[in-house]
Amino acid sequence: MTGSTTVTGTSTTLTDVWTNGTYTFTVTALNAAASGSGTTISAALEGPTRAHKIIINGNSDAYIRATPTGSSAPEVARIFGNGAGVTVLCQVKGSHIAHPEDDNYAGNTYTKVTYQGKTGYMAGWLVDTYTSGNWDVLAGPPIWECAS
């Protein structure tokens, strides 16, 4: 992502930043006479984490996997049933995955979560982070996209 902003004062809020990763900022002073040479700094940014619940899981196991590549990825943890709390870190696009019994639950969006000290990826429809029911769309702010 690239862009620029003109700020009057000493601070600004970047409302279009919502992907975890390293960003480079250059600050240049400007007054009526001229602009300065500028100072550059890089910073690793991560979005806020938030508690969410497991949904649409019925009486079955939800799998947390090591990578967002579906059932081929190594299992990190299992959660049985609905209602368990997870900490959502970010979302990412991965391999297409479909529910084994319901074609309504298919897509390539994964939610990176922490559950009982273990971190991994879950199919997007299992966590109450979606906004449209389209499992190929990232939820967007306030849930950040994972760094690639």
Side-chain angles (χ1 to χ4, degrees):
M1 167 188 291
T2 61
S4 64
T5 264
T6 301
V7 178
T8 302
T10 58
S11 68
T12 189
T13 300
L14 304 174
T15 57
D16 57 346
V17 173
W18 62 282
T19 300
N20 290 346
T22 300
Y23 289 83
T24 301
F25 301 93
T26 301
V27 178
T28 305
L30 172 67
N31 62 23
S35 62
S37 60
T39 298
T40 300
I41 187 170
S42 291
L45 301 180
E46 289 186 7
T49 61
R50 221 171 253 219
H52 285 270
K53 299 281 184 193
I54 299 300
I55 59 170
I56 310 175
N57 198 33
N59 289 318
S60 62
D61 288 327
Y63 298 93
I64 300 174
R65 304 278 182 181
T67 59
T69 53
S71 60
S72 65
E75 183 181 320
V76 173
R78 283 186 199 194
I79 302 171
F80 181 79
N82 290 323
V86 295
T87 300
V88 171
L89 307 173
C90 54
Q91 287 185 319
V92 66
K93 298 284 189 135
S95 301
H96 182 82
I97 188 170
H99 190 282
E101 298 169 9
D102 190 338
D103 292 338
N104 292 310
Y105 302 113
N108 65 359
T109 300
Y110 291 77
T111 304
K112 187 174 184 181
V113 301
T114 297
Y115 174 72
Q116 295 183 343
K118 297 180 180 174
T119 299
Y121 299 86
M122 300 185 76
W125 66 78
L126 289 171
V127 185
D128 68 352
T129 57
Y130 66 90
T131 57
S132 66
N134 179 345
W135 313 115
D136 290 326
V137 175
L138 298 173
I143 299 171
W144 283 30
E145 186 174 347
C146 303
S148 40

